[in-house]
Amino acid sequence: MNRNNVFLSLAVAAALAAALGLSSCAAPGQRAGETASGPAGETAAPAQQESGAAATTASSAASALPSAAPSASATPVPAAPTATASAVAGVKTFTFPDGHLSFSYPSGWSVRVVGSPENAAKLRGVQAVIADATGNELASVTSSTSASNASGPVARTVLDTAPVPGLKDVDGEQLAFGFAFDSLADQSDFHMSVRKQRDFAPAVSDSGSAYVSFANGGAEAKVLFGSPAFASVDAAKAWMTTEQYSQLKRLLLTLKYS
């Protein structure tokens, strides 16, 4: 090999070495002097900063908004019960088999039925006996029976009375609840029942009848008293301040005929 060839071989070798040196320092697509992780790290950091800024902005915006109003489908918070709602709550309704006469009573009380629709068809009546939670029978309502209209002279002291809303007899006369004391010729008696309103008028002199007439026959609604019911009118007035009296009065005032 001559000297010129030696110099040519050395030049080629140097060129190859320089090329190999550059390839080991730069990945494909990188500029010379950049590392493999450099651009990726520089690209990821701004993205993270943008996410942080967006989260901060969203959080600030959310805290600035008023609390959302409940949607239409949300369950409303019940209002405090009113006196009217309390009076109506906790009652049941009893309707006689023929569907005409009905009344409401406290849900803790019970109704015992005496008779049947067959009895009613023969005007023998169906009786509903109402008892309190202890089983003490307090009142009775009878429907579809033969009405007894017997009456006589009386000195009546009316202690309480009120018309039964919307309730009239077969002749169109208004019916009323009443609590009264009767002095008869041979006896005295307390009664609490539903009768014609005129039977509880001031200074009434005719006893009237505890039975009233509807299109399906006679009916009677009354409180069941022992004998004697009370030792005196004052004792009866004291009973009128009790919850039991209020419950029985409400029961008779709910009587309906349809």
Side-chain angles (χ1 to χ4, degrees):
M1 180 179 300
N2 58 33
R3 182 178 297 177
N4 291 334
N5 289 339
V6 171
F7 286 127
L8 180 60
S9 298
L10 291 174
V12 171
L16 288 175
L20 290 174
L22 289 174
S23 298
S24 64
C25 294
Q30 290 180 327
R31 295 188 300 272
E34 290 181 341
T35 63
S37 60
E42 291 169 3
T43 302
Q48 291 171 354
Q49 290 173 358
E50 288 172 4
S51 298
T56 302
T57 303
S59 177
S60 300
S63 62
L65 291 174
S67 57
S71 65
S73 60
T75 303
V77 178
T82 62
T84 301
S86 298
V88 173
V91 298
K92 293 181 180 178
T93 298
F94 175 85
T95 303
F96 282 85
D98 63 3
H100 290 298
L101 198 62
S102 66
F103 60 88
S104 298
Y105 61 99
S107 59
W109 292 12
S110 61
V111 174
R112 177 173 61 88
V113 178
V114 180
S116 65
E118 290 75 17
N119 289 340
K122 299 175 183 178
L123 291 183
R124 293 177 183 171
V126 176
Q127 181 186 25
V129 182
I130 304 102
D132 64 15
T134 67
N136 186 27
E137 295 183 339
L138 301 176
S140 167
V141 180
T142 303
S143 179
S144 305
T145 187
S146 298
S148 173
N149 296 315
S151 62
V154 67
R156 175 166 293 163
T157 302
V158 178
L159 303 177
D160 191 12
T161 186
V164 179
L167 188 65
K168 297 181 178 181
D169 67 8
V170 71
D171 297 321
E173 285 199 56
Q174 176 65 47
L175 301 179
F177 149 84
F179 180 37
F181 174 70
D182 286 357
S183 294
L184 306 173
D186 57 350
Q187 63 179 353
S188 297
D189 189 27
F190 287 91
H191 58 88
M192 184 171 174
S193 59
V194 172
R195 302 188 181 201
K196 293 179 184 292
Q197 188 172 29
R198 56 184 169 86
D199 288 349
F200 296 111
V204 65
S205 59
D206 191 294
S207 65
S209 174
Y211 284 89
V212 296
S213 296
F214 294 114
N216 68 336
E220 181 187 39
K222 64 180 182 180
V223 172
L224 301 175
F225 288 127
S227 183
F230 302 98
S232 65
V233 171
D234 287 340
K237 289 180 178 179
W239 177 64
M240 290 172 63
T241 65
T242 66
E243 178 64 16
Q244 186 186 69
Y245 176 83
S246 298
Q247 290 171 321
L248 289 169
K249 178 179 178 179
R250 283 197 297 266
L251 187 155
L252 294 177
L253 285 172
T254 64
L255 204 66
K256 291 180 175 60
Y257 184 89
S258 59

